[in-house]
Amino acid sequence: EPLRFVQVDRVFLDVPGPHPGLPSEPERFLLLASGLAQPPAWAEKPRAYDHFDLKGDAAALLGHLGVDSLWVHGYTEPFLDDATSFLISWTYGTIGRGGAVREEVLRAFDVEPPAYVLEIDIEALEEHLPGRRTYREPARFPAVKRDLSLVVPGDVSYGDIEAAVRAAA
């Protein structure tokens, strides 16, 4: 099944924080994904979630926030697979990291591979957000590329209209 876990919370790092004698506690966004890329459908064969899906999810999130970023591949982290790992950075530093979790790490937690993780530093992301966003009500009458209205006799069936349109296509 498709499995997606999202959490925003503080993490505790073994580095000095802003308060003497206490660890650093930055806030992080975490996405953990495994299983199928999407639920099975009649038009598509089931496909396992992979690092391209993870990058797509990360790019969609950052794009929705209006954040420009650079991707650095082959990032080395003890719990990530070197071949599928990446850093997300911008001009002034790193925003996040992600990739496939190493099989030995997953087995240690009795998790069936593969699983993919994305971690984003919330404070670094906030510094990179482009200005303030405001709500704008959608247009009451949105633009339409094509609009077609037909007046046909009542004895003409939908199937006849559909057949004529398909034949003309």
Side-chain angles (χ1 to χ4, degrees):
E1 296 86 36
L3 298 173
R4 307 292 181 272
F5 299 100
V6 176
Q7 182 174 354
V8 175
D9 209 345
R10 296 208 174 275
V11 297
F12 301 95
L13 302 177
D14 192 19
V15 295
H19 306 290
L22 295 175
S24 177
E25 299 179 28
E27 196 169 21
R28 298 282 200 259
F29 166 88
L30 179 77
L31 166 67
L32 179 70
S34 185
L36 296 176
Q38 59 193 17
W42 68 272
E44 292 186 30
K45 293 180 182 178
R47 178 179 62 78
Y49 191 92
D50 61 20
H51 73 281
F52 295 111
D53 294 306
L54 181 67
K55 285 179 57 182
D57 289 343
L61 172 66
L62 295 173
H64 181 71
L65 295 172
V67 174
D68 293 326
S69 56
L70 303 170
W71 298 79
V72 179
H73 300 279
Y75 170 66
T76 303
E77 184 70 42
F79 63 92
L80 293 178
D81 179 46
D82 295 344
T84 61
S85 59
F86 56 85
L87 277 178
I88 305 169
S89 60
W90 60 297
T91 308
Y92 301 105
T94 300
I95 296 173
R97 59 190 172 166
V101 179
R102 291 183 188 269
E103 287 188 26
E104 55 269 19
V105 173
L106 294 173
R107 286 195 191 101
F109 290 97
D110 200 24
V111 175
E112 211 173 294
Y116 297 84
V117 66
L118 171 68
E119 180 185 53
I120 295 179
D121 183 337
I122 299 291
E123 292 169 8
L125 182 64
E126 286 175 342
E127 292 175 12
H128 195 53
L129 290 175
R132 185 174 171 198
R133 292 180 169 244
T134 57
Y135 171 76
R136 185 176 63 191
E137 188 173 337
R140 188 165 173 207
F141 300 104
V144 176
K145 289 185 179 180
R146 289 200 177 137
D147 188 14
L148 180 65
S149 297
L150 301 174
V151 178
V152 295
D155 62 338
V156 176
S157 72
Y158 170 79
D160 293 339
I161 297 171
E162 181 183 19
V165 169
R166 289 189 185 275

